[in-house]
Amino acid sequence: SLTVDMHFRAAVKRARFWWKEPKLGALHSERVASRVLAHSPALRVVVLTDDVHHVRAAEAFADVRQPLNVAAMLAWLKRRELALYASAHDVLTVSLEDARAIEDGLA
């Protein structure tokens, strides 16, 4: 999930440039979707999200005092997360707030 992936990257990869996209590779969710669709291309992809991670990460990193380029990390996360939602046939959320954030991001 994006939650696990972002926590892993934040906790384990504390190097100054951990957020740079070339080093990040595919997210777990992207790898799973790719493998499933390669096997069954007609399958309907439904994403169930328990959080809109780029919104929560922006709140969590608001007061970070580390030499991280938080803006670059947040832009990367937003782009990848919204691309995952856009690639799905349906997106299910746990709150109307999350649904609105996704709709606004995809608009």
Side-chain angles (χ1 to χ4, degrees), residues 14 24 28 38 55 62 66 68 71-73 76-78 90 96 105:
R14 291 188 182 271
L24 291 176
H28 178 72
V55 172
Q66 297 178 18
L68 297 176
M73 185 273 295
W76 172 86
L77 176 59
K78 182 176 182 177
D90 295 298
L96 292 175

Side-chain angles (χ1 to χ4, degrees), residues 47-50 52 91-100 102:
V47 173
L48 169 60
T49 180
D50 64 340
V52 181
V91 178
L92 307 176
T93 64
V94 296
S95 72
L96 292 175
E97 176 189 3
D98 287 353
R100 280 190 293 275
I102 293 169

Side-chain angles (χ1 to χ4, degrees), residues 5-32:
D5 195 70
M6 289 311 298
H7 287 290
F8 169 78
R9 291 170 199 274
V12 177
K13 299 188 176 191
R14 291 188 182 271
R16 185 173 175 175
F17 302 108
W18 68 270
W19 68 89
K20 284 195 172 180
E21 190 165 350
K23 294 181 186 263
L24 291 176
L27 298 171
H28 178 72
S29 304
E30 293 167 330
R31 287 192 305 270
V32 169

Side-chain angles (χ1 to χ4, degrees), residues 45 58 69 94:
V45 175
N69 185 342
V94 296

Side-chain angles (χ1 to χ4, degrees), residues 60-68 70:
F61 283 99
D63 61 351
V64 167
R65 303 207 189 288
Q66 297 178 18
L68 297 176
V70 174

